[in-house]
Amino acid sequence: MTRFALPLLAGLLAGTALAGPAFAAKNLVVGIPDNITTLDPADINDTLSQSASRTMMQGLFGFDKEMKLVPLLAESFTVNDAATEYTYRLRKGVTFHDGTPFNAQAVKTNFDRLSNPANRLKRQSLLAMLAETVVVDDHTITLKLSQPFGALNNNLAHPGAMIHSPKALETYGKEIGRHPVGTGPYKFVSWEADTLKVEKNANYWKPGLPKVDSVTLRSVPENGSRIAMLQTNEAQFIYPLPPEMVKMVEANQALEIINAPSIIARYVAMNTMKKPFSDPRVRQALNYAIDKNAYAKVVYRGFAGPLDSPIPSKLGFHVAQPDQYTYDLAKAKALLAEAGYPNGFEAEMIGRNSTNFIRGMQFVQQQLAQIGVKLTVTPLESGVEAARVWSVEKPEDATVQMQYSGWSASTGDADWGLRPLLWGKGFPPKFFNVAYYKNDTVDTAIETGIGTADNAKRAEAYRIAQEQIWKDAPWIFLGVENLLAGKSKKLTGFHYVADGGLQMEEADLQ
């Protein structure tokens, strides 16, 4: 058994509001772009609702502002060498907002609920490998898995694995999404159509937190209206901030911009099972033919960075590749000629029909035209695109040649950045390998990485996988989006983290 002691890190999350003469209390208001869908973490698919739930709920693990794994309701754990049995020592002296003690039975109740496919919860896949939960004592629980899984703690850090009060689950049943009761820094007050309000949990288990008295999340879909809220101090944080509105916010001396790397990778998947993309030289040529710096400037107005490996730099086990696909039209043309396409070829690229997707696809189209590659850009409504990709049962029946897409691995781990997208056993409709890419070295490395809890072995496995994928180039590696938001300079401790989520635990208003 390998044992890992996890030191408690006090500084995990953050968010706050402006304290001015008109405010006797510290009341933080956050302007958000959409309505919250539910407050049941196990049944949430969108990052915004996860962030709202995270004000009140917690799991055994979480992520800090740098997306590094940190302990929350677990203090330590042991795992067997096969990575099929994990035992957790739980934090003592923690209570849910309704007074129910946090203990191993509470964890069992939640994990059994989440892992049961009959409950049809959207995040069931996080614990699909869970075979049995065993309560050892009040503060010890063992999870027995049906197969080796080395990234379990990262899955448990996902917001979907946050823990409800078992009493609340029993009381509210299927309505739990409107009655959240957790162990977090804030307690539920009210949730109307476009507004969620939570208040300070005076009995929070972390001394000195939270620092604000309340947090209100207000849905304001119109970009200009959110910015007006920020400028008038009606809100102290707003997101997302459209790139074209950055200068407007920067002009206000009381405000500042958050501009930080994310883990949202942008790429074009190429169907490696069909000509001309079955030839790696063609795929490499297309990578050399794209000016990645120009891509960031044109598509994101400069608010994007490089994708220097198959996974973004903020994901666990990322390894930057030494030989980058630098912009080189001569090299691109030479590779195409070597592959038998001296005059280029024609192909179709599909993607979503949103403004930013269309802008990105048109940029790729214009760039590749320089080497004789004539692309037909086909923007599709999300449902139509999904049908085009997921209705295919056999790889040979796939009609997608190129797909402009993106991915955010919200577990913070290389496994979820690689396995769903580039594993040879993950073709649609099972997973998201739209490139239909298969390489035995990569498959073995991905399976090795998930089959052990030894971080040194996992790191080596994912190094091998990234190196081989980069060489094979099943994607055009385009870039990594930046996070853009606006905030009051009086707001501290509020974090907009790499997966696009909000952390408000340490928020304060000066």
Side-chain angles (χ1 to χ4, degrees), residues 9-25:
L9 301 183
L12 305 181
L13 321 172
T16 77
L18 278 190
F23 294 92

PDB file of all heavy atoms in Angstrom, residues 9-25:
ATOM      1  N   LEU A   9      -4.108  22.979   2.593  1.00  0.00           N
ATOM      2  CA  LEU A   9      -3.709  24.285   2.088  1.00  0.00           C
ATOM      3  C   LEU A   9      -4.831  25.252   2.355  1.00  0.00           C
ATOM      4  O   LEU A   9      -5.940  25.069   1.884  1.00  0.00           O
ATOM      5  CB  LEU A   9      -3.421  24.202   0.581  1.00  0.00           C
ATOM      6  CG  LEU A   9      -2.321  23.201   0.194  1.00  0.00           C
ATOM      7  CD1 LEU A   9      -2.090  23.287  -1.300  1.00  0.00           C
ATOM      8  CD2 LEU A   9      -1.040  23.492   0.943  1.00  0.00           C
ATOM      9  N   ALA A  10      -4.561  26.270   3.113  1.00  0.00           N
ATOM     10  CA  ALA A  10      -5.621  27.198   3.495  1.00  0.00           C
ATOM     11  C   ALA A  10      -6.113  28.028   2.332  1.00  0.00           C
ATOM     12  O   ALA A  10      -7.279  28.361   2.248  1.00  0.00           O
ATOM     13  CB  ALA A  10      -5.129  28.115   4.615  1.00  0.00           C
ATOM     14  N   GLY A  11      -5.196  28.409   1.409  1.00  0.00           N
ATOM     15  CA  GLY A  11      -5.632  29.321   0.350  1.00  0.00           C
ATOM     16  C   GLY A  11      -6.092  28.586  -0.882  1.00  0.00           C
ATOM     17  O   GLY A  11      -5.305  28.279  -1.716  1.00  0.00           O
ATOM     18  N   LEU A  12      -7.378  28.300  -0.971  1.00  0.00           N
ATOM     19  CA  LEU A  12      -7.891  27.575  -2.125  1.00  0.00           C
ATOM     20  C   LEU A  12      -8.650  28.472  -3.081  1.00  0.00           C
ATOM     21  O   LEU A  12      -8.365  28.515  -4.255  1.00  0.00           O
ATOM     22  CB  LEU A  12      -8.812  26.430  -1.684  1.00  0.00           C
ATOM     23  CG  LEU A  12      -8.198  25.438  -0.694  1.00  0.00           C
ATOM     24  CD1 LEU A  12      -9.220  24.368  -0.371  1.00  0.00           C
ATOM     25  CD2 LEU A  12      -6.962  24.827  -1.264  1.00  0.00           C
ATOM     26  N   LEU A  13      -9.667  29.129  -2.628  1.00  0.00           N
ATOM     27  CA  LEU A  13     -10.597  29.765  -3.540  1.00  0.00           C
ATOM     28  C   LEU A  13     -10.829  31.214  -3.172  1.00  0.00           C
ATOM     29  O   LEU A  13     -10.415  31.685  -2.152  1.00  0.00           O
ATOM     30  CB  LEU A  13     -11.938  29.004  -3.522  1.00  0.00           C
ATOM     31  CG  LEU A  13     -11.807  27.497  -3.447  1.00  0.00           C
ATOM     32  CD1 LEU A  13     -13.177  26.875  -3.246  1.00  0.00           C
ATOM     33  CD2 LEU A  13     -11.163  26.963  -4.687  1.00  0.00           C
ATOM     34  N   ALA A  14     -11.603  31.963  -4.012  1.00  0.00           N
ATOM     35  CA  ALA A  14     -11.805  33.347  -3.662  1.00  0.00           C
ATOM     36  C   ALA A  14     -12.860  34.059  -4.448  1.00  0.00           C
ATOM     37  O   ALA A  14     -13.197  33.699  -5.533  1.00  0.00           O
ATOM     38  CB  ALA A  14     -10.503  34.077  -3.796  1.00  0.00           C
ATOM     39  N   GLY A  15     -13.374  35.195  -3.969  1.00  0.00           N
ATOM     40  CA  GLY A  15     -14.342  36.051  -4.627  1.00  0.00           C
ATOM     41  C   GLY A  15     -14.841  37.083  -3.649  1.00  0.00           C
ATOM     42  O   GLY A  15     -14.928  36.810  -2.479  1.00  0.00           O
ATOM     43  N   THR A  16     -15.202  38.344  -4.093  1.00  0.00           N
ATOM     44  CA  THR A  16     -15.687  39.335  -3.144  1.00  0.00           C
ATOM     45  C   THR A  16     -16.410  40.510  -3.745  1.00  0.00           C
ATOM     46  O   THR A  16     -16.561  40.620  -4.929  1.00  0.00           O
ATOM     47  CB  THR A  16     -14.557  39.902  -2.274  1.00  0.00           C
ATOM     48  OG1 THR A  16     -13.836  40.807  -3.020  1.00  0.00           O
ATOM     49  CG2 THR A  16     -13.668  38.875  -1.742  1.00  0.00           C
ATOM     50  N   ALA A  17     -16.761  41.491  -2.915  1.00  0.00           N
ATOM     51  CA  ALA A  17     -17.497  42.660  -3.366  1.00  0.00           C
ATOM     52  C   ALA A  17     -16.934  43.936  -2.809  1.00  0.00           C
ATOM     53  O   ALA A  17     -16.218  43.943  -1.842  1.00  0.00           O
ATOM     54  CB  ALA A  17     -18.934  42.506  -2.913  1.00  0.00           C
ATOM     55  N   LEU A  18     -17.301  45.036  -3.411  1.00  0.00           N
ATOM     56  CA  LEU A  18     -16.790  46.330  -2.990  1.00  0.00           C
ATOM     57  C   LEU A  18     -17.441  46.792  -1.698  1.00  0.00           C
ATOM     58  O   LEU A  18     -18.650  46.764  -1.577  1.00  0.00           O
ATOM     59  CB  LEU A  18     -17.086  47.367  -4.072  1.00  0.00           C
ATOM     60  CG  LEU A  18     -16.094  47.399  -5.241  1.00  0.00           C
ATOM     61  CD1 LEU A  18     -16.384  48.629  -6.060  1.00  0.00           C
ATOM     62  CD2 LEU A  18     -14.679  47.390  -4.772  1.00  0.00           C
ATOM     63  N   ALA A  19     -16.646  47.239  -0.771  1.00  0.00           N
ATOM     64  CA  ALA A  19     -17.183  47.817   0.447  1.00  0.00           C
ATOM     65  C   ALA A  19     -17.024  49.323   0.357  1.00  0.00           C
ATOM     66  O   ALA A  19     -15.928  49.838   0.332  1.00  0.00           O
ATOM     67  CB  ALA A  19     -16.434  47.275   1.658  1.00  0.00           C
ATOM     68  N   GLY A  20     -18.094  50.031   0.280  1.00  0.00           N
ATOM     69  CA  GLY A  20     -18.062  51.484   0.195  1.00  0.00           C
ATOM     70  C   GLY A  20     -18.880  52.055   1.328  1.00  0.00           C
ATOM     71  O   GLY A  20     -19.435  51.331   2.136  1.00  0.00           O
ATOM     72  N   PRO A  21     -19.006  53.354   1.373  1.00  0.00           N
ATOM     73  CA  PRO A  21     -19.738  54.001   2.442  1.00  0.00           C
ATOM     74  C   PRO A  21     -21.181  53.532   2.547  1.00  0.00           C
ATOM     75  O   PRO A  21     -21.762  53.516   3.614  1.00  0.00           O
ATOM     76  CB  PRO A  21     -19.672  55.487   2.050  1.00  0.00           C
ATOM     77  CG  PRO A  21     -18.483  55.588   1.149  1.00  0.00           C
ATOM     78  CD  PRO A  21     -18.396  54.288   0.446  1.00  0.00           C
ATOM     79  N   ALA A  22     -21.760  53.086   1.395  1.00  0.00           N
ATOM     80  CA  ALA A  22     -23.155  52.680   1.413  1.00  0.00           C
ATOM     81  C   ALA A  22     -23.343  51.256   1.923  1.00  0.00           C
ATOM     82  O   ALA A  22     -24.456  50.814   2.106  1.00  0.00           O
ATOM     83  CB  ALA A  22     -23.758  52.803   0.017  1.00  0.00           C
ATOM     84  N   PHE A  23     -22.230  50.526   2.141  1.00  0.00           N
ATOM     85  CA  PHE A  23     -22.329  49.131   2.540  1.00  0.00           C
ATOM     86  C   PHE A  23     -21.872  48.963   3.985  1.00  0.00           C
ATOM     87  O   PHE A  23     -20.711  49.112   4.300  1.00  0.00           O
ATOM     88  CB  PHE A  23     -21.473  48.253   1.631  1.00  0.00           C
ATOM     89  CG  PHE A  23     -21.954  48.217   0.209  1.00  0.00           C
ATOM     90  CD1 PHE A  23     -21.468  49.114  -0.726  1.00  0.00           C
ATOM     91  CD2 PHE A  23     -22.905  47.303  -0.189  1.00  0.00           C
ATOM     92  CE1 PHE A  23     -21.913  49.089  -2.034  1.00  0.00           C
ATOM     93  CE2 PHE A  23     -23.340  47.264  -1.497  1.00  0.00           C
ATOM     94  CZ  PHE A  23     -22.854  48.165  -2.416  1.00  0.00           C
ATOM     95  N   ALA A  24     -22.816  48.594   4.863  1.00  0.00           N
ATOM     96  CA  ALA A  24     -22.451  48.287   6.237  1.00  0.00           C
ATOM     97  C   ALA A  24     -21.824  46.902   6.291  1.00  0.00           C
ATOM     98  O   ALA A  24     -20.954  46.640   7.097  1.00  0.00           O
ATOM     99  CB  ALA A  24     -23.683  48.354   7.130  1.00  0.00           C
ATOM    100  N   ALA A  25     -22.307  46.009   5.417  1.00  0.00           N
ATOM    101  CA  ALA A  25     -21.780  44.651   5.356  1.00  0.00           C
ATOM    102  C   ALA A  25     -21.004  44.482   4.057  1.00  0.00           C
ATOM    103  O   ALA A  25     -21.106  45.291   3.148  1.00  0.00           O
ATOM    104  CB  ALA A  25     -22.916  43.645   5.448  1.00  0.00           C
TER     105      ALA A  25
END
